[in-house]
Each structure stands twice: as C-alpha cells, then as structure tokens.
Amino acid sequence: TDDYYGDGYYRNDSRANDDDGGHSDSTEGHDEEDEIYEGEYQGIPGAESGKMGPVDGMAQQAQFRDLAQFEAERRKDQEELAQQYETILQECGHGKFQWTLYFVLGLALMADGVEIFVVGFVLPSAEKDMCLSEESKGMLGLIVYLGMMVGAFVWGGLADRIGRRQTLLVSLSINSVFAFFSSFVQGYSSFLFCRLLSGVGIGGSIPIVFSYYSEFLAQEKRGEHLSWLCMFWMIGGIYASAMAWAIIPHYGWSFQMGSAYQFHSWRVFVLVCAFPSVAAISALTTMPESPRFFLENGKHDEAWMILKQVHDTNMRAKGYPERVFSVTTIKTVKQMDELVDMGEGTAWHQRWRMKLTDLFGQHIITIATSISILSLSYYGLTVWFPDMIKYLQKQEYSSRTKVFIKEKVEHVTFNFTLENQVHRNGEYFNNKFMNLKMKSMVFEDSLFDECYFEDITSSNTFFKNCTFIATLFYNTDLFKYRLINSKLINSTFLHNKEGCMLSDFSDENNAYMIYFVSFLGTLAVLPGNIVSALLMDKIGRLRMLAGSSVISCVSCFFLSFGNSESAMIALLCLFGGISIASWNALDVLTVELYPSDKRCTAFGFLNALCKLAAVLGISIFTSFVGITKAVPILFASGALAAGSFLAFKLPETRGHVLQ
C-alpha cells in the first residue's frame, strides 16, 4: 500500500527503502535548501494519469452497469484510500499536534459533562426563585437530555456535510450563548427554553469530538487515545460538582432590583458552567479541519496542507525539523449520490431503505441496542440514586419525629424554630408564634383560639382538620392551602409573604451531601478510565465491552444489599468506575465501524438513541423511589447482562485502518 506508481496516486519512494515504517528519514544527508516543500505536492492526477479517463467513461455507462459491481469498485477505492491515509498518519507520527488537539477537543467534551450536572445542582435553589412544582422540576431535569438528543442527530449529520470543525464551532456557540442567557432569565418558561437550546448545542459535542480526533490518530494509537479523551467528561463532572459546592451555598453572592429581578448564587454557578464551552470555542479556532473530511469531499489540496502541518509540527517538536513530508499525491474516490444512481424506476421506499442500509450497515441494531441498554442503566441509576439517598434521609428524619398528643398550651410566646414535630388533639389559647421557622410541622385535630402568627417561614408544614377562632395571620407564608380541611372562624390573613411555598425543606447540609456524592461518583470513574485506556488496544474493544458489562452487572446487583448511605455510595462509585470502560469501548467501536463520510451521522444517531434511553431510564427508575429498590436494580442488572451478550455480536475493529 505504500506505492501507487501505476495509478499515479501516491509516491513515497524514500519510504520504500526506509527501515523504520513510522517516520520518514528520506531527507537525512540532503541539503535543506534543495527541499522545496510546496513543490512536493503534485495535486490530484489529471485525466492523462491513466485513472481519470475510465471515470468519465464510467459516468457515461453507469446506468448500464450493475449497482452492486459499481459499489464494489467504489468500496475498493475507499479501502485503498484508507490504507494510504493510515500510511500517511504513520509518517506524520503522534506528537505535539495530536496532544494539542486532545486538550482542545477535551474542553468540548468537558462542556458536555458539565451540562449533564447543571440542572440537577441548581434545582434545590432555583425552585425557590421560580415557584417550581414537582412536575416542573421533573421537566427541567429531562429537558437537557431531550435537547442533547436533538442536537446529536442534527449536528452529527451536518458534520459529515460541512465539516467537523465548523459544525463543532457552531454547536458550542449555541450552547455558550443560551447557557449564558439561562443564568439571567427570570421566568421558568424562559429558563426551560434556554436550557433546551443549550442542550441542543452541546448535543453535537460527543459525536463530533470522537470522530474529529480519531481522524488524526494512527491505528496503534486510536483506541488508547480515544479512551484518554473520555477523561474530560469526568473532569467536566468534577468541575461542575466543585463549582456547585463552592458557589451555590453562598447566598450572599446575590443582588436584586426590587421584586422584578433577582440574581442569586445559583445563577453565578450556571454562568461559570459555560466557561468550558467558551474556552473550547476559543481554542478550536486555532485548529484545522479534519483532512479525512476534506479527502472525502474531493478537497485534496487542503487535506495535503493539513497533513503536512501535522507532520512538520510533530517533527519539529521531536527535534527532526529536517524531515520532509514525502507524500506527493493522494488517492481520490468518486463521489456518488445513492438516490440518483439507483435508477429512475426504483420505488422511493426502496431507495431510502438502501440509503439507510448503506449509511449504518448491518451492525446498527446491535450497537444501538448495546448503547441504549448501557445508557438506560447508567443514567437511570445515577439519577435514581440521589433521589434514593434523599428518600433514605427522609426516612431517617421521620424516625426522629416527636409526637405530642392532647397538649394544652396557654399564654405562651413561641419565638424559636419548631421542627419535625406532630401535634394531635392539642388546644392552644392566646398563644403567639412570632419570628420563627416551622420545618416539617403537622398539627392535626387541634384548636387555635385567639392566637397570633407573625413573620412565619415554613416548609412541609400543614394544619389538618384544625379550627382557628379569632386568630390573626400577619406576614406569614401559612397560606390557606396549608390548612387542610380546617375551619376559620373570625380569623384574618394580613400581608401574606410573597414567593414560593416549598413542600420540602432543603438545608445546606443536604445540598452539600448531593454535591459530595456527585463529586465522588465522578471521581470514581478515573481508575476505570485509566485501565480501559491502557488495555483498549491490547485486549480489544469487544473483550473490553463484554467484560465491563459483566462486572458492571455484578456490581449493580450488589446495590440491593446496601442498607446505608455510605454502603450505597461506595457501591455506586464501583458501578460508575467499571461501567466507564463499556462507554469507552462503545465510543471507539462506533468511530471504527463507520466510514468517514458517514461517521458523524451514525455517531450522532446512536448518541441521540443514547439520550432517549437516558430519558426512559430516568423516568422508569425514579418512579420506584420510595416503593422498592429491588426493581430498578434487577432491571439494570438484567439489561447489562443482555448487553454483555450482545457485545460478541459486533465485529472486532482492533488493528483495522479507519474506514
């Protein structure tokens, strides 16, 4: 594959005599002034080269030729280009250029990781500002995944048409703009809309980043370095957790303009979370387009210049500036529109079926099922788990509830916090409740006669079947919906407090707990990432995927035996650390299974399915919170077991050139 003398496509005379296939030493001993870089590239062969002439004849006879034979010839050309491209990457080496691109694309992947966590971290604070019901909070949590689902499909398709770099710049710009706006808008609908579009923007990150980076990696480096790239998703989660921990509890970081505009600390956190995306945009402007994309679209001169840039950057960094990029011409592949070349008589549904078959290949169902299973289990468990922790905390909190029955209290002033109490059949005469907080207080079948409530702030507080006689409520948030089946006789509400009345009280300790658990869960991915990166090219993608799925299944099953917070946190961290290897293997497989002209489209489609499965998993798993933990855990374990079986239905791509 090194020499194409007969066809005139690729000259690499010096490499044929070079003992070291990884580098070009052809210029050693030459006078550097004799080397004219610009003169090396001979361009695309002309019609007289012996190859383009038959192409013209082929165009005239295409309608009479068998489509399968035509496709076979085209595939042969693509395979020859893939082999030649691999040889060129070997000559370019792996060095400064790839590492620079690694950190640039890592920022884009980091922004995707941040996006997943933003809404979950701000919800406890945002619900106070926006008066969110449980349904609204649930919708806000899912809207990001829906946006990312749409974005993955749209940007993946565009990246194969207008270029990886250009599409990634546009998608990250949309993410940055609407993430920025979401920190300032006040209403729930506006915030929901901004987070939706922010998710649409970042949805292009994963399918484009992996495809883009893979097209600069030689065969023996691809699995390992794509796995290293996955670490930036983890870094994004750590960044979001640390910033939430550092910013959101500082309620003093806020200002307001009357009652119309409020800017609290959680909005500062949302703003800070847009920084990785902005940084990625700035850094990406310095990087070139993928040369493989240019080759697929007939722009051979542009591709050659970029490959030469990669070669020269790496050689200078390694101390070999005299080494000359020896590629002179690059093979061309005929462009073809499948819907046109199928013939006029082909039915539309047959055309589209053939196009989709050509686009995704025979492995689409298997890999789509594997990704959906992993996504449903992973996202379902990781979102279900914090809710389960909260449920366990509530159970433990409820176990400490104090119950008072038939108490009689007269002429007493309550000016201290009342918390976690139940009062049944009590009688309260001429009592004052002033300047206090009521947390998780319940009064049942009680009588309040000539009582006075002033400046009360409450959460999860209710009066059930109570009677109020000649009682005044002044500047309180004890609205009538907190008085369930209660009677009001000559009682008055004056200057009720404005704002949202929350059904649950969320204190700082609980907030810190959620941030800390997310931080630990994300950090636990690090060992699995390192192991998968080091072994990906040694044991292969399928063994990595199947092995990780089996061990994840076992670790998930043991979650059912965790009866304490600390035990469940440890088991979830174990699950996350093991399952990351499955994600890495699927990402590498997806990149290597599909040809360059369809890679981003296929990856985007599969990533959209991944987000759809995440939405389904979150909806299913969270519905069992407080009911049983056995069903979600057994469901996830069974799904992962099925995924490990499906893994062996996929082809092994280790050692293959990039199609």
Side-chain angles (χ1 to χ4, degrees), residues 284-577:
L284 194 59
T285 56
T286 65
M287 304 307 298
E289 179 57 81
S290 164
R292 191 64 181 266
F293 169 77
F294 279 147
L295 289 174
E296 295 293 341
N297 288 272
K299 298 180 179 180
H300 293 69
D301 293 3
E302 293 88 339
W304 184 87
M305 291 299 294
I306 294 170
L307 289 167
K308 180 178 179 299
Q309 176 190 347
V310 175
H311 173 274
D312 293 349
T313 300
N314 289 341
M315 291 304 110
R316 282 194 298 268
K318 292 179 180 180
Y320 304 109
E322 73 280 1
R323 291 188 179 177
V324 178
F325 187 49
S326 62
V327 176
T328 56
T329 55
I330 305 178
K331 187 174 183 63
T332 183
V333 177
K334 181 181 180 296
Q335 305 294 306
M336 184 183 78
D337 186 343
E338 295 88 350
L339 297 185
V340 172
D341 291 318
M342 286 176 193
E344 294 293 334
T346 308
W348 68 269
H349 58 87
Q350 292 177 322
R351 295 184 181 186
W352 278 105
R353 181 171 55 82
M354 294 177 70
K355 183 175 178 66
L356 290 173
T357 301
D358 178 65
L359 176 61
F360 296 124
Q362 60 182 340
H363 305 295
I364 186 64
I365 296 177
T366 306
I367 195 168
T369 305
S370 299
I371 287 177
S372 298
I373 285 173
L374 183 60
S375 178
L376 186 144
S377 303
Y378 179 82
Y379 287 106
L381 281 177
T382 52
V383 174
W384 166 81
F385 183 76
D387 288 343
M388 195 67 194
I389 290 291
K390 291 178 184 177
Y391 175 75
L392 291 176
Q393 289 175 340
K394 288 180 181 178
Q395 291 291 96
E396 193 273 335
Y397 185 76
S398 298
S399 68
R400 294 185 281 110
T401 301
K402 295 180 180 179
V403 180
F404 300 87
I405 300 176
K406 295 184 178 180
E407 62 178 354
K408 294 184 179 181
V409 183
E410 299 180 358
H411 310 294
V412 174
T413 298
F414 296 88
N415 55 4
F416 48 87
T417 298
L418 298 175
E419 181 177 4
N420 200 16
Q421 299 175 5
V422 174
H423 296 260
R424 297 193 179 105
N425 303 108
E427 295 182 8
Y428 305 91
F429 176 74
N430 197 20
N431 295 303
K432 294 182 178 180
F433 299 83
M434 301 178 64
N435 303 310
L436 59 83
K437 291 182 179 179
M438 290 184 174
K439 304 176 185 178
S440 299
M441 294 292 296
V442 178
F443 294 88
E444 297 179 354
D445 303 303
S446 297
L447 172 65
F448 294 85
D449 190 2
E450 296 185 14
C451 291
Y452 179 70
F453 293 83
E454 179 181 351
D455 195 16
I456 305 296
T457 301
S458 64
S459 62
N460 201 29
T461 295
F462 300 95
F463 297 83
K464 301 178 180 179
N465 302 314
C466 294
T467 301
F468 297 88
I469 302 173
T471 296
L472 175 63
F473 296 87
Y474 181 85
N475 192 31
T476 74
D477 62 10
L478 299 176
F479 297 156
K480 291 185 178 181
Y481 85 92
R482 293 195 183 275
L483 279 57
I484 302 173
N485 297 326
S486 297
K487 296 179 181 179
L488 294 169
I489 302 173
N490 296 327
S491 298
T492 307
F493 289 85
L494 294 177
H495 300 287
N496 285 342
K497 287 187 176 182
E498 296 180 356
C500 307
M501 300 302 105
L502 306 180
S503 59
D504 287 306
F505 183 78
S506 178
D507 59 23
E508 294 183 16
N509 291 332
N510 285 337
Y512 275 121
M513 184 65 179
I514 298 303
Y515 306 149
F516 182 64
V517 169
S518 299
F519 179 84
L520 284 180
T522 311
L523 191 61
V525 170
L526 179 60
N529 229 322
I530 294 174
V531 171
S532 66
L534 294 177
L535 296 181
M536 188 69 72
D537 288 321
K538 290 182 173 61
I539 68 174
R541 288 69 164 129
L542 296 190
R543 289 181 180 176
M544 179 68 69
L545 175 58
S548 174
S549 296
V550 169
I551 302 174
S552 297
C553 170
V554 174
S555 65
C556 176
F557 177 75
F558 278 107
L559 274 171
S560 59
F561 297 100
N563 294 319
S564 65
E565 285 184 28
S566 56
M568 291 196 69
I569 291 171
L571 289 168
L572 186 72
C573 289
L574 178 64
F575 172 76

Side-chain angles (χ1 to χ4, degrees), residues 80 108 119 138 156 174 176 390 430 435 438 450 591 606 640:
E80 290 177 359
V119 170
I174 291 175
S176 301
K390 291 178 184 177
N430 197 20
N435 303 310
M438 290 184 174
E450 296 185 14
V591 163
L606 291 170
L640 289 167

Side-chain angles (χ1 to χ4, degrees), residues 119-404:
V119 170
F121 286 159
V122 303
L123 269 179
S125 300
E127 63 176 331
K128 300 176 184 177
D129 287 2
M130 298 182 182
C131 304
L132 301 184
S133 63
E134 289 299 321
E135 293 76 13
S136 297
K137 287 193 292 182
M139 187 60 192
L140 190 54
L142 293 177
I143 199 69
V144 174
Y145 292 96
L146 295 174
M148 294 173 80
M149 179 181 71
V150 173
F153 190 78
V154 171
W155 301 121
L158 280 177
D160 282 331
R161 291 182 175 272
I162 67 175
R164 283 81 162 111
R165 175 181 174 273
Q166 188 69 22
T167 307
L168 187 57
L169 279 171
V170 174
S171 66
L172 289 174
S173 298
I174 291 175
N175 170 253
S176 301
V177 168
F178 286 98
F180 176 82
F181 284 153
S182 70
S183 68
F184 293 98
V185 296
Q186 293 293 294
Y188 167 73
S189 299
S190 302
F191 186 75
L192 189 72
F193 178 74
C194 287
R195 293 318 301 185
L196 171 65
L197 292 185
S198 176
V200 170
I202 204 62
S205 177
I206 288 180
I208 299 175
V209 160
F210 283 101
S211 301
Y212 189 5
Y213 192 45
S214 70
E215 291 166 358
F216 285 95
L217 296 174
Q219 168 187 314
E220 70 274 7
K221 298 283 187 180
R222 195 181 308 125
E224 176 185 349
H225 286 271
L226 286 175
S227 298
W228 288 129
L229 187 63
C230 292
M231 291 187 69
F232 277 92
W233 196 92
M234 174 202 71
I235 294 172
I238 292 175
Y239 174 83
S241 302
M243 290 299 101
W245 200 341
I247 295 173
I248 294 178
H250 291 278
Y251 301 111
W253 295 11
S254 62
F255 67 88
Q256 60 186 45
M257 300 169 62
S259 60
Y261 191 87
Q262 298 178 346
F263 192 91
H264 293 145
S265 57
W266 67 268
R267 296 183 181 275
V268 178
F269 166 72
V270 172
L271 194 61
V272 168
C273 284
F275 288 173
S277 186
V278 174
I281 294 170
S282 302
L284 194 59
T285 56
T286 65
M287 304 307 298
E289 179 57 81
S290 164
R292 191 64 181 266
F293 169 77
F294 279 147
L295 289 174
E296 295 293 341
N297 288 272
K299 298 180 179 180
H300 293 69
D301 293 3
E302 293 88 339
W304 184 87
M305 291 299 294
I306 294 170
L307 289 167
K308 180 178 179 299
Q309 176 190 347
V310 175
H311 173 274
D312 293 349
T313 300
N314 289 341
M315 291 304 110
R316 282 194 298 268
K318 292 179 180 180
Y320 304 109
E322 73 280 1
R323 291 188 179 177
V324 178
F325 187 49
S326 62
V327 176
T328 56
T329 55
I330 305 178
K331 187 174 183 63
T332 183
V333 177
K334 181 181 180 296
Q335 305 294 306
M336 184 183 78
D337 186 343
E338 295 88 350
L339 297 185
V340 172
D341 291 318
M342 286 176 193
E344 294 293 334
T346 308
W348 68 269
H349 58 87
Q350 292 177 322
R351 295 184 181 186
W352 278 105
R353 181 171 55 82
M354 294 177 70
K355 183 175 178 66
L356 290 173
T357 301
D358 178 65
L359 176 61
F360 296 124
Q362 60 182 340
H363 305 295
I364 186 64
I365 296 177
T366 306
I367 195 168
T369 305
S370 299
I371 287 177
S372 298
I373 285 173
L374 183 60
S375 178
L376 186 144
S377 303
Y378 179 82
Y379 287 106
L381 281 177
T382 52
V383 174
W384 166 81
F385 183 76
D387 288 343
M388 195 67 194
I389 290 291
K390 291 178 184 177
Y391 175 75
L392 291 176
Q393 289 175 340
K394 288 180 181 178
Q395 291 291 96
E396 193 273 335
Y397 185 76
S398 298
S399 68
R400 294 185 281 110
T401 301
K402 295 180 180 179
V403 180
F404 300 87

